[in-house]
Amino acid sequence: MQQADSLLNATQLSKSFGGIKAVNNAHIRVDRGSITGLIGPNGAGKTTLFNLLSNFIRPDSGSILFDNQPIHSLPPHKIAERGFIRTFQVARVLSRLSVLENMLLATPNQTGENFFKVWFQQGKLRSEERANKERAMSILESVGLSAKAYDYAGALSGGQRKLLEMARTLMTNPKLILLDEPAAGVNPTLINQICEHILDWNQQGISFLVIEHNMDVIMSLCDRVWVLAEGTNLAEGTPAEIQNNNEVLEAYLGQ
Ligand SMILES: Nc1ncnc2c1ncn2[C@@H]1O[C@H](COP(=O)(O)OP(=O)(O)OP(=O)(O)O)[C@@H](O)[C@H]1O
Ligand SMILES: [Mg+2]
């Protein structure tokens, strides 16, 4: 039953860098419709696991099913087209482009990418561009960034950049969004807003896998939490179960 409900199911994932086993036979599952947390001490392998799941780096071994299909042979942009997209620990926005342009760059399947279509379907291109722009503006409006649409993305605060990176993922009609530390370096007011947005998007049917060191964020958002330590699974359970797990506490104290 649980297997049938899983949107992402990765098993036996491993990745070494030289002598370091950054991820060592790890597994993780994200149930459809859930907000799933991924926690663990610094250097536990969380970001590496994200890189493996989204195929930004190739695993040494392991299997990844997204929406019941294997995705390990697909490049990241093809994975994104299937509705699986991630953000980065340090937000990757293009500073010298406007906030709106950053949003539009994420639009999938643009007719303008194809030379012949540009020549023969100019009308379609213009209406597509208009629709994309309207969509981008409405997403920016919903996260409170519409007043900054024509500002350089580089002029945003660190927290606003994270928000823009998250808002941008919505342009791709995602089913699953991986967030790498959405609250890191963000002021408390904006953290609350970011959490509200994540809950709101989840209500609209988007599932999430969230890496976060801020336990209040994990506790308030997540249905289930997976714990990684030294590249390996340490525990999995509800936030309350994880909070009361002595092994997890020891892993954090020992870091
Ligand atoms: N490209 C790389 N080359 C070499 N070693 C790497 C590389 N990426 C990660 N590592 C190592 O792999 C281990 C896991 O790192 P990773 O960044 O995945 O941890 P993390 O759990 O995300 O930590 P943090 O909470 O600090 O972000 C660390 O020992 C790290 O130094
Ligand atoms: Mg990390």
Side-chain angles (χ1 to χ4, degrees), residues 46-48 89 180-181 211 213:
K46 304 179 297 295
T47 297
T48 306
Q89 191 162 346
D180 197 345
E181 300 198 24
I211 295 177
H213 285 291

Side-chain angles (χ1 to χ4, degrees), residues 168-179:
R168 189 170 58 185
T169 63
L170 297 186
M171 292 296 289
T172 65
N173 294 318
K175 293 178 188 162
L176 173 62
I177 304 177
L178 268 52
L179 301 174

Side-chain angles (χ1 to χ4, degrees), residues 4-254:
D5 275 333
S6 75
L7 180 58
L8 181 73
N9 199 346
T11 48
Q12 296 181 316
L13 279 177
S14 292
K15 181 72 190 179
S16 292
F17 297 111
I20 300 168
K21 286 187 172 175
V23 172
N24 187 7
N25 205 19
H27 60 275
I28 191 154
R29 194 187 69 243
V30 178
D31 289 334
R32 208 179 287 274
S34 74
I35 303 179
T36 300
L38 175 59
I39 67 168
N42 290 116
K46 304 179 297 295
T47 297
T48 306
L49 186 60
F50 262 29
N51 287 336
L52 297 176
L53 294 172
S54 50
N55 221 359
F56 276 78
I57 55 173
R58 306 269 312 161
D60 297 333
S61 63
S63 107
I64 307 162
L65 290 180
F66 174 66
D67 223 357
N68 299 314
Q69 303 285 326
I71 54 166
H72 57 266
S73 58
L74 298 176
H77 71 276
K78 289 279 173 200
I79 294 177
E81 278 173 21
R82 291 191 181 196
F84 176 11
I85 190 143
R86 54 89 58 95
T87 66
F88 292 86
Q89 191 162 346
V90 177
R92 291 190 180 178
V93 300
L94 295 167
S95 305
R96 304 222 173 176
L97 293 184
S98 73
V99 168
L100 179 60
E101 284 163 338
N102 268 274
M103 294 290 286
L104 293 173
L105 275 182
T107 320
N109 298 325
Q110 296 181 74
T111 305
E113 284 169 0
N114 183 308
F115 178 78
F116 292 102
K117 285 189 183 165
V118 171
W119 266 95
F120 294 112
Q121 297 181 293
Q122 300 232 347
K124 183 177 177 219
L125 187 65
R126 270 193 295 274
S127 68
E128 210 175 80
E129 276 176 358
R130 217 172 17 246
N132 285 337
K133 194 172 161 191
E134 274 170 22
R135 185 167 154 71
M137 285 306 289
S138 112
I139 295 170
L140 287 175
E141 177 84 47
S142 74
V143 297
L145 283 178
S146 57
K148 309 238 174 220
Y150 297 98
D151 293 1
Y152 283 125
L156 297 179
S157 73
Q160 287 171 330
R161 259 180 247 195
K162 291 220 158 204
L163 197 52
L164 171 58
E165 206 193 18
M166 274 178 242
R168 189 170 58 185
T169 63
L170 297 186
M171 292 296 289
T172 65
N173 294 318
K175 293 178 188 162
L176 173 62
I177 304 177
L178 268 52
L179 301 174
D180 197 345
E181 300 198 24
V186 180
N187 74 58
T189 314
L190 197 47
I191 289 179
N192 285 339
Q193 284 175 24
I194 285 175
C195 287
E196 289 300 320
H197 293 311
I198 293 172
L199 289 167
D200 184 31
W201 296 328
N202 180 245
Q203 285 289 311
Q204 293 169 33
I206 302 173
S207 307
F208 286 88
L209 179 60
V210 185
I211 295 177
E212 193 43 72
H213 285 291
N214 182 326
M215 289 303 157
D216 291 338
V217 169
I218 289 288
M219 293 296 148
S220 65
L221 287 183
C222 297
D223 307 297
R224 292 203 82 73
V225 181
W226 294 69
V227 188
L228 212 58
E230 297 177 1
T232 318
N233 290 79
L234 182 68
E236 188 247 325
T238 63
E241 283 165 358
I242 295 303
Q243 202 170 21
N244 294 308
N245 183 315
N246 282 332
E247 272 186 293
V248 175
L249 180 65
E250 278 165 25
Y252 272 93
L253 292 178

